Amino acid sequence: MENPNMLYIDSLARGDKSVKNQLIDVIKTEFPDEKKDYFESFGQLDYKKIEENVHKLKHKISIFGLEKSYKIANEYEHNLREFSIEGSEDFEKILNVISEFLETI
């Protein structure tokens, strides 16, 4: 499994620590809610809502430079359109990796 990094956030902040901290704060606020929404929709097996949640979370995955994980999320999103949850386990592992990473920053 890939390790999240701050390269993209650093490039957006252009060396401005306050901008970097604001970006991190936004992600730390949004990610847990988006993750919770994902698991709620998954529990209801609401494919359309799950797909929407995956789409939102996919952007967080790319922000942390997780290219392979982004591809996994993208494939999972496409599977959901076919009413398949294939890829959910790998996607949920990615969410856990990001959650753990957010605790360290």
Side-chain angles (χ1 to χ4, degrees):
M1 176 88 31
E2 299 169 283
N3 292 317
N5 65 67
M6 300 289 289
L7 297 175
Y8 183 68
I9 292 172
D10 289 338
S11 72
L12 290 175
R14 296 182 191 168
D16 187 328
K17 283 194 170 232
S18 67
V19 171
K20 180 178 177 176
N21 290 336
Q22 287 175 343
L23 291 169
I24 292 168
D25 287 344
V26 168
I27 293 167
K28 282 185 166 185
T29 300
E30 290 179 354
F31 182 80
D33 291 338
E34 292 174 1
K35 182 179 170 183
K36 180 180 175 238
D37 289 346
Y38 164 79
F39 280 108
E40 286 177 1
S41 61
F42 190 87
Q44 297 168 359
L45 215 53
D46 182 342
Y47 288 96
K48 182 67 177 159
K49 188 71 175 160
I50 300 168
E51 180 187 343
E52 290 170 9
N53 297 136
V54 169
H55 186 76
K56 286 181 188 177
L57 287 160
K58 196 168 67 167
H59 296 291
K60 301 292 187 299
I61 292 168
S62 69
I63 285 171
F64 290 117
L66 301 170
E67 294 177 21
K68 291 177 187 172
S69 297
Y70 183 88
K71 288 178 184 176
I72 290 168
N74 199 45
E75 288 175 22
Y76 179 41
E77 183 180 10
H78 288 286
N79 290 342
L80 289 163
R81 291 182 190 137
E82 303 296 323
F83 303 102
S84 169
I85 59 168
E86 184 178 339
S88 63
E89 288 181 25
D90 289 334
F91 181 76
E92 291 167 14
K93 287 177 188 174
I94 295 164
L95 297 182
N96 289 332
V97 167
I98 292 173
S99 292
E100 291 172 10
F101 180 70
L102 288 174
E103 291 176 14
T104 68
I105 58 173

